[in-house]
C-alpha cells in the first residue's frame, strides 16, 4: 500500500501562510475526508498532498520519499488526483479521456499494451460507462462527467486516489452515485481515498477517518463519531447544532438550529436553542 504523510508542512500563497507546521499521516486502505469552513486551507492541503503546490517548508512524503523531489510520472504511477471542476477539450470522448490515465505508464520502450487496454476497459465497467464510451465528455450529465474523470483516475491503477470536492455542482442523486462508487472502490479493492467534502453528514456516512482543518492546522481528527461533535461544529464552522444519529446508517448527523425565534413551535430542540 502507498503511504502518504506530511512532516512540519507549511503552505502559503505569497506571504500568507495557509497551513503551518503540519504533521499528519493518511491511514492506508481507508476513506479519509477533509472538512472545514471555506478558506480554512483544506483544498490547499489536498493540492500539496497531490504535488500540485510546493511547500514553503516541511515536506510531503509518499512511501517515505519527498514527493516534490520525485518525477511527475513516478508520482502519477502511485497516486491519482482529481482536482475540483476538471474540464476536457471539446469533443474528447469518454474512452479518450480514460485512456489518458495510462499515459504515466507509457515510455519509448513500453508502448500501449494489452494490460493498458484491460485496465481502461475495467475502469469503464467499474464506473458504468462502457455503453457511452464513444460519447463526448462535454455531452454528458454532471454525474456522468464526474464518473468519467474518476474512470480516468482508476485507469492509472494507483493505490491512492485524491479528490477535491468531487460532489461540487452535482445534485443529491449524483452526489450519492459518486460517493457510492468511491466507497465501493475502497471496500472492494482496498484503495486509499482522500477527499474534500463540504456536506458533514455525507462525510460521516462515507468516511473512516475525518480531519477537521482550522487555524492553519488540524483542529481534530479521528473516526466520524469522535470528530463530529457540537463543540467541533461550533469551533470550526461557527454554528450551533444538535448531533443526532443518522436513521439509515447510524452515523453521526449534524442538525443545525437557530436561536429561539428561528425555530418553529414543533422544534423538539427548542429548549436547547433558547439557552444563552
Amino acid at each position: 500500500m502507498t503511504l502518504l504523510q506530511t512532516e512540519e508542512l507549511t503552505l502559503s500563497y505569497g506571504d500568507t501562510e495557509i497551513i503551518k507546521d503540519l504533521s499528519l499521516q493518511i491511514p492506508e486502505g481507508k476513506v479519509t475526508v477533509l472538512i472545514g469552513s471555506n478558506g480554512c486551507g483544506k483544498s490547499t492541503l489536498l493540492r500539496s498532498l497531490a504535488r500540485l503546490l510546493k511547500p514553503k517548508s516541511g515536506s510531503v512524503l509518499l512511501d517515505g520519499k519527498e514527493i516534490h523531489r520525485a518525477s511527475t510520472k513516478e508520482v502519477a504511477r502511485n497516486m491519482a488526483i482529481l482536482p475540483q471542476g476538471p474540464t476536457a477539450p471539446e469533443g474528447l470522448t469518454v474512452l479518450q479521456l480514460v485512456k489518458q490515465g495510462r499515459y504515466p505508464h507509457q515510455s519509448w520502450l513500453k508502448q500501449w499494451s494489452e494490460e493498458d487496454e484491460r485496465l481502461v476497459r475495467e475502469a469503464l465497467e467499474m464506473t458504468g460507462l462502457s455503453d457511452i464510451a464513444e460519447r463526448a465528455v462535454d455531452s454528458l450529465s454532471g454525474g456522468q462527467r464526474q464518473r468519467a474523470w474518476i474512470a480516468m483516475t482508476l485507469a492509472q491503477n494507483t493505490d491512492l486516489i485524491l479528490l477535491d470536492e468531487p460532489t461540487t455542482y452535482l445534485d443529491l442523486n449524483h452526489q450519492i452515485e459518486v460517493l457510492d462508487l468511491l466507497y465501493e472502490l475502497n471496500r472492494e479493492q482496498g484503495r486509499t481515498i482522500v477527499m474534500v467534502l463540504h456536506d458533514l453528514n455525507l462525510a460521516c456516512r462515507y468516511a473512516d477517518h475525518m480531519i477537521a482543518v482550522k487555524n492553519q492546522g488540524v483542529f481534530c481528527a479521528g473516526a466520524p463519531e469522535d470528530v463530529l461533535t457540537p463543540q467541533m461544529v461550533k469551533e470550526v464552522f461557527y454554528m450551533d447544532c444538535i448531533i443526532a444519529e443518522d436513521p439509515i446508517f447510524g452515523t453521526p448527523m449534524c442538525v443545525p438550529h437557530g436561536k429561539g425565534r428561528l425555530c418553529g413551535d414543533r422544534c423538539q430542540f427548542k429548549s436547547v436553542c433558547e439557552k444563552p
Side-chain angles (χ1 to χ4, degrees):
M1 297 298 291
T2 303
L3 178 64
L4 183 64
Q5 62 188 105
T6 70
E7 290 185 351
E8 299 181 351
L9 180 68
T10 296
L11 306 172
S12 66
Y13 290 116
D15 295 329
T16 304
E17 290 186 344
I18 309 299
I19 297 293
K20 185 175 178 64
D21 297 330
L22 176 63
S23 296
L24 62 80
Q25 182 170 314
I26 301 298
E28 295 178 72
K30 303 293 185 181
V31 177
T32 294
V33 176
L34 303 177
I35 61 172
S37 62
N38 289 341
C40 71
K42 56 187 183 296
S43 289
T44 299
L45 174 57
L46 190 83
R47 283 173 52 81
S48 183
L49 292 175
R51 195 176 170 269
L52 299 177
L53 178 64
K54 189 175 182 178
K56 179 180 180 181
S57 63
S59 56
V60 177
L61 302 178
L62 183 64
D63 283 340
K65 301 177 182 178
E66 286 198 34
I67 195 170
H68 289 87
R69 294 181 182 272
S71 69
T72 300
K73 273 198 169 185
E74 181 182 354
V75 173
R77 292 187 193 107
N78 292 281
M79 177 173 64
I81 170 69
L82 180 59
Q84 186 179 161
T87 57
E90 185 177 355
L92 190 76
T93 67
V94 172
L95 179 60
Q96 291 170 330
L97 176 65
V98 177
K99 281 186 172 183
Q100 291 186 17
R102 298 304 303 159
Y103 290 165
H105 302 271
Q106 306 297 306
S107 68
W108 288 109
L109 296 177
K110 184 179 183 299
Q111 298 298 313
W112 194 262
S113 66
E114 290 184 5
E115 180 186 19
D116 295 320
E117 198 69 36
R118 175 181 61 81
L119 290 169
V120 167
R121 184 174 63 253
E122 289 179 357
L124 290 168
E125 290 173 356
M126 281 188 284
T127 52
L129 297 173
S130 298
D131 292 340
I132 57 173
E134 298 300 334
R135 284 183 56 182
V137 175
D138 53 15
S139 73
L140 304 179
S141 68
Q144 289 172 325
R145 278 197 303 272
Q146 198 70 326
R147 278 191 285 138
W149 284 101
I150 292 173
M152 185 192 72
T153 66
L154 295 183
Q156 282 182 240
N157 197 33
T158 63
D159 291 331
L160 178 60
I161 302 175
L162 278 61
L163 308 100
D164 190 2
E165 300 184 28
T167 58
T168 298
Y169 308 126
L170 300 183
D171 61 32
L172 185 57
N173 178 52
H174 288 130
Q175 289 180 42
I176 299 300
E177 182 180 280
V178 167
L179 293 174
D180 277 351
L181 171 60
L182 295 171
Y183 187 83
E184 289 170 8
L185 290 172
N186 168 260
R187 291 306 192 258
E188 295 177 5
Q189 299 185 15
R191 309 220 190 182
T192 301
I193 308 290
V194 186
M195 57 183 163
V196 172
L197 289 180
H198 276 298
D199 190 307
L200 295 179
N201 295 331
L202 288 179
C204 285
R205 280 189 176 190
Y206 290 93
D208 299 301
H209 186 73
M210 290 175 64
I211 299 174
V213 180
K214 184 190 177 185
N215 290 339
Q216 301 178 325
V218 173
F219 179 82
C220 61
E225 57 267 26
D226 297 325
V227 170
L228 192 68
T229 65
Q231 179 185 3
M232 186 280 289
V233 176
K234 179 74 172 178
E235 293 287 335
V236 174
F237 294 93
Y238 313 103
M239 179 180 68
D240 294 313
C241 74
I242 300 294
I243 302 300
E245 182 178 293
D246 187 309
I248 298 176
F249 290 85
T251 51
M253 183 174 67
C254 177
V255 184
H257 64 76
K259 293 295 184 182
R261 60 177 171 42
L262 298 180
C263 292
D265 292 336
R266 296 183 180 180
C267 175
Q268 59 181 310
F269 300 121
K270 190 173 179 66
S271 61
V272 177
C273 297
E274 290 174 337
K275 287 184 179 180

